[in-house]
Amino acid sequence: MPQRSLLVADDIENQSDSGKRRSRAIGHAASFLAQRLKTGIDLLYVEDIKTYPHEFDSARIRAWHFQHQERLKVLSKQLQAPVFRAIKSGIPAEQILKAIHSRPSPELVIVGTQGRKGLKRLLVGSVAEEVIRHSRRPVMVVGPLAQEKTWFLAADRGQPRVLVATDLGKNSRAAEQYALSLAKRIGARAVLFHCLGDSYRVIVRDSSMVSGWVPVNLDEILNGIRDAAVQSMERKADFFQKHGVPCEYKIEDKPLLSSCAVYQESARGYSFVVMGTHGRNVLLEAYFGSTARETILNAPIPVITVPSGR
């Protein structure tokens, strides 16, 4: 089977300060992983059909296309791995997904995001989110805070540490398996992380909705939830250890949303976050958010999302 490459999709048309900063961060993440995984990089830029020159002038279109080729060439020289460059034309998310689902499929997809929110994000759309929702391969997203220079320095210090966010259920199984494989291959330590806040809120909400019913001992119920979580995390950590990956676990029992707990923990010296995700209703997600989206927008390090059906 041919060796898989990393698929890196970058918006080289954006030459603003933030666009250049995003490209540097994406390039650094790609180089770091390509060296550790001993793989090449497929560097892709999609010429968005909405940005084509308005005048149908063949010379102007050729010059526009040549400019992109030169920018892609400059970017490829900054990547510390063998690079194959490609320029496609069309709708960015569709072309990226087409490349993902080609044969051989990539090891990992790396993209950046501007972090649009609310109605603007819903109407304008997000390439990163469309890729995450429909990709059958893990997707690393370098979010707004992860594009800062401080992450570049922290990522290369000593042994990498991978934060593995888990809900202890089936939606996290593929992410846990991928995190185990990735950590082993890049020589990283793994830290399994689970937040009890959501479970606590469900118990309190359900108990308050049952008219006339008051738990005999709510603390006992909550302690039972925590004990079950500890046992599950211990089993998972042991599994990582038995497969050659140094692993520990952390349980957040403060009344925090999972999304807040994960991105707060991610600021404590990790290289990447790995977490599971699954598609939901676009309109609801735009306003109420999801753990994956909030982590991507707020984590100071890149986030690798793994589809639960992987």
Side-chain angles (χ1 to χ4, degrees), residues 201-259:
R201 271 187 295 278
V202 170
I203 292 297
V204 173
R205 181 201 64 194
D206 289 351
S207 65
S208 65
M209 289 176 64
V210 179
S211 177
W213 182 80
V214 178
V216 175
N217 191 333
L218 184 58
D219 287 339
E220 183 177 339
I221 295 175
L222 299 181
N223 287 336
I225 293 174
R226 191 183 196 287
D227 290 344
V230 169
Q231 293 175 13
S232 179
M233 293 288 268
E234 287 178 344
R235 289 194 297 269
K236 293 177 186 297
D238 286 344
F239 186 80
F240 273 63
Q241 296 273 13
K242 288 177 181 177
H243 285 78
V245 175
C247 184
E248 60 186 285
Y249 69 86
K250 292 186 178 182
I251 294 178
E252 176 60 74
D253 55 9
K254 295 178 182 177
L256 296 172
L257 290 170
S258 292
S259 55

Side-chain angles (χ1 to χ4, degrees), residues 13 47-68 89:
E13 180 73 13
E47 293 178 332
D48 193 335
I49 55 177
K50 293 182 294 186
T51 65
Y52 264 70
H54 296 299
E55 300 82 1
F56 187 76
D57 183 329
S58 59
R60 184 173 179 181
I61 291 178
R62 282 197 301 270
W64 183 72
H65 183 71
F66 178 76
Q67 182 184 56
H68 294 155
S89 177

Side-chain angles (χ1 to χ4, degrees), residues 107-109 111 128-129 131-141 171 174-175 178 272-278 290-293 295-296 302-308 310:
E107 164 87 19
L108 176 71
V109 186
V111 297
E129 183 160 349
V131 171
I132 291 171
R133 183 176 288 113
H134 299 290
S135 175
R136 294 195 293 266
R137 299 297 303 156
V139 179
M140 171 185 281
V141 184
N171 288 328
Y178 179 78
F272 310 109
V273 179
V274 178
M275 63 195 311
T277 186
H278 53 93
S290 68
T291 300
R293 178 184 294 110
T295 302
I296 289 168
V303 178
I304 299 175
T305 62
V306 182
S308 59
R310 177 178 172 271

Side-chain angles (χ1 to χ4, degrees), residues 4 16 104 113 143 153-154 164 166 177 216 237 277:
R4 288 174 167 174
S16 65
T113 182
L153 302 175
V164 188
T166 176
Q177 292 171 359
V216 175
T277 186

Side-chain angles (χ1 to χ4, degrees), residues 36-201:
R36 295 273 180 158
L37 295 170
K38 296 180 173 57
T39 187
I41 294 173
D42 291 335
L43 183 58
L44 172 66
Y45 172 62
V46 180
E47 293 178 332
D48 193 335
I49 55 177
K50 293 182 294 186
T51 65
Y52 264 70
H54 296 299
E55 300 82 1
F56 187 76
D57 183 329
S58 59
R60 184 173 179 181
I61 291 178
R62 282 197 301 270
W64 183 72
H65 183 71
F66 178 76
Q67 182 184 56
H68 294 155
Q69 290 178 318
E70 291 301 301
R71 288 179 181 173
L72 211 61
K73 187 182 300 184
V74 170
L75 181 58
S76 67
K77 291 179 180 179
Q78 299 170 4
L79 300 175
Q80 300 171 24
V83 178
F84 173 78
R85 302 188 300 271
I87 295 179
K88 301 292 183 180
S89 177
I91 299 173
E94 290 183 0
Q95 290 297 325
I96 294 170
L97 287 166
K98 185 177 180 180
I100 292 171
H101 299 148
S102 63
R103 298 294 181 186
S105 56
E107 164 87 19
L108 176 71
V109 186
I110 303 178
V111 297
T113 182
Q114 298 176 15
R116 298 187 179 101
K117 297 182 180 181
L119 184 60
K120 181 178 180 181
R121 189 203 58 78
L122 178 66
L123 296 178
V124 176
S126 165
V127 173
E129 183 160 349
E130 283 300 303
V131 171
I132 291 171
R133 183 176 288 113
H134 299 290
S135 175
R136 294 195 293 266
R137 299 297 303 156
V139 179
M140 171 185 281
V141 184
V142 184
L145 296 184
Q147 294 165 19
E148 301 298 329
K149 294 180 180 179
T150 52
W151 173 75
F152 296 173
L153 302 175
D156 290 328
R157 292 176 184 166
Q159 184 181 32
R161 286 207 309 159
V162 177
L163 179 64
V164 188
T166 176
D167 63 5
L168 304 182
K170 63 180 182 180
N171 288 328
S172 293
R173 289 174 190 165
E176 293 166 10
Q177 292 171 359
Y178 179 78
L180 172 61
S181 173
L182 178 68
K184 189 170 185 176
R185 293 172 64 196
I186 68 174
R189 297 183 63 87
V191 178
L192 294 162
F193 183 77
H194 177 67
C195 177
L196 293 171
D198 292 343
S199 297
Y200 285 171
R201 271 187 295 278

